[in-house]
């Protein structure tokens, strides 16, 4: 599994989303590595990490992440996940509680897929099998950004799209199925004895604002922020605001 480590101090692990790579967190690592050890991970089957298992679950991916971190001497860490990365972060918090200093969900959800969303996952699989990854990504990626941000971030969107198109079809399909079958982990958030944050996009069409607000209301200790005019990829759409929030949160709670 590809992992990039920089800085020293308390360990902060960043996990990217579906068909993304560790590169989405580059500016976050630069902003935080002066005072913290930052680990950026390519999840299996993304970026420079090969997909080494088949018919996998979110828990299987979390196991691989935890194993890789341990191999690199990272035994305790705060974990931040965007979208899919948030699902993996929740699995880590559930199954490796002794290692978790807390977690942050960035445009992600504790809730399991409802029946409508499960049908969408199945349609993704069918589309990839019929038309391939590139055709899918050419329409999928744009929808992760609020319409008013697409022109401003045209170059960044193109970079994300190019990286996404390199994701193997078996990874795109495999993760769609893993997300479809993931369990509800709302209780992990609601009963957490470590600090938690939720970052939500005001105009996120993948994780609706009302869903994020429900999670925010359950946070026992921690903080949250709703990014104005941001879609699902607020890490780019509102990057400065997001970095400032995470820096402030970590300084306060870790």
């Amino acid at each position: 599994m590809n992992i990039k480590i920089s800085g020293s101090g308390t360990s902060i692990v960043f996990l990217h989303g579906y068909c993304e790579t560790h590169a989405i967190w580059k500016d976050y690592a630069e902003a935080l590595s002066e005072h913290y050890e930052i680990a950026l991970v390519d999840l299996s089957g993304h970026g420079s990490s090969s997909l080494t298992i088949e018919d996998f679950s979110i828990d299987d991916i979390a196991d691989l992440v935890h194993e890789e971190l341990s191999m690199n001497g990272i035994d305790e860490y705060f974990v931040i996940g965007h979208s899919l990365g948030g699902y993996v972060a929740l699995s880590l918090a559930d199954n490796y509680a002794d290692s978790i200093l807390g977690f942050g969900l960035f445009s992600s959800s504790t809730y399991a897929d409802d029946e409508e969303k499960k049908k969408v996952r199945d349609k993704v699989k069918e589309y990839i099998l019929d038309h391939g990854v590139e055709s899918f990504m050419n329409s999928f990626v744009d929808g992760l950004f609020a319409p008013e941000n697409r022109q401003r971030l045209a170059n960044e969107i193109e970079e994300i799209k190019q990286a996404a198109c390199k994701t193997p079809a078996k990874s795109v399909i495999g993760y769609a199925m893993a997300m479809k079958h993931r369990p509800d982990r709302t209780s992990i958030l609601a009963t957490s004895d470590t600090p938690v944050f939720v970052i939500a996009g005001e105009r996120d069409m993948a994780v609706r604002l009302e869903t994020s607000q429900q999670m925010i209301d359950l946070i026992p200790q921690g903080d949250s922020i709703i990014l104005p005019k941001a879609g699902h990829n607020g890490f780019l759409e509102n990057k400065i605001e997001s970095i400032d929030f995470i820096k402030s949160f970590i300084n306060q709670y870790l």
Side-chain angles (χ1 to χ4, degrees):
M1 184 174 287
N2 183 45
I3 182 171
K4 303 292 184 184
I5 300 174
S6 59
S8 61
T10 302
S11 299
I12 314 296
V13 177
F14 284 86
L15 304 176
H16 62 76
Y18 187 49
C19 301
E20 297 169 347
T21 74
H22 77 276
I24 70 167
W25 301 120
K26 178 176 177 290
D27 291 338
Y28 290 73
E30 291 179 358
L32 294 166
S33 60
E34 182 177 354
H35 300 292
Y36 302 96
E37 180 180 53
I38 306 301
L40 309 183
V41 178
D42 277 340
L43 298 175
S44 294
H46 292 79
S48 298
S49 294
S50 300
L51 185 64
T52 56
I53 53 178
E54 297 184 5
D55 298 324
F56 57 89
S57 66
I58 295 297
D59 286 352
D60 292 330
I61 300 302
D63 291 343
L64 293 174
V65 170
H66 184 76
E67 179 181 352
E68 186 66 31
L69 293 172
S70 296
M71 289 172 59
N72 282 274
I74 301 175
D75 297 315
E76 286 189 328
Y77 50 90
F78 187 94
V79 58
I80 299 170
H82 173 246
S83 194
L84 162 65
Y87 307 151
V88 178
L90 285 164
S91 176
L92 289 166
D94 191 3
N95 296 313
Y96 299 98
D98 290 344
S99 295
I100 301 300
L101 301 175
F103 59 91
L105 303 179
F106 202 137
S107 300
S108 191
S109 175
T110 61
Y111 301 102
D113 279 359
D114 59 21
E115 291 306 312
E116 180 179 354
K117 189 66 174 181
K118 288 180 179 180
K119 290 178 182 178
V120 171
R121 307 288 190 198
D122 289 333
K123 289 180 179 178
V124 168
K125 177 180 178 179
E126 293 171 7
Y127 190 94
I128 297 298
L129 291 174
D130 291 342
H131 304 285
V133 172
E134 185 172 354
S135 177
F136 173 72
M137 294 303 170
N138 283 333
S139 59
F140 171 72
V141 173
D142 288 341
L144 301 176
F145 294 82
E148 59 265 45
N149 295 326
R150 293 173 190 169
Q151 183 174 356
R152 173 173 62 89
L153 296 171
N155 291 336
E156 290 86 346
I157 290 173
E158 184 59 30
E159 288 179 8
I160 288 180
K161 194 176 292 185
Q162 289 179 8
C165 286
K166 295 178 182 177
T167 310
K170 64 179 181 179
S171 296
V172 181
I173 293 172
Y175 276 92
M177 296 300 99
M179 290 188 288
K180 172 184 174 181
H181 295 296
R182 75 185 190 281
D184 188 295
R185 283 196 159 107
T186 305
S187 64
I188 301 302
L189 169 66
T191 63
S192 177
D193 58 4
T194 60
V196 174
F197 73 68
V198 170
I199 300 178
E202 181 184 32
R203 302 187 182 179
D204 190 344
M205 300 302 291
V207 182
R208 299 281 185 170
L209 182 56
E210 53 266 33
T211 299
S212 294
Q213 189 61 61
Q214 289 172 2
M215 293 187 293
I216 289 169
D217 292 342
L218 293 173
I219 295 175
Q221 61 168 323
D223 204 353
S224 63
I225 186 172
I226 296 172
L227 302 175
K229 299 181 180 179
H232 192 59
N233 281 2
F235 65 86
L236 266 179
E237 295 169 285
N238 298 60
K239 180 165 61 177
I240 294 175
E241 188 174 0
S242 298
I243 290 174
D244 287 346
F245 172 82
I246 291 173
K247 288 175 68 174
S248 176
F249 182 93
I250 291 171
N251 288 338
Q252 178 179 353
Y253 287 100
L254 299 186

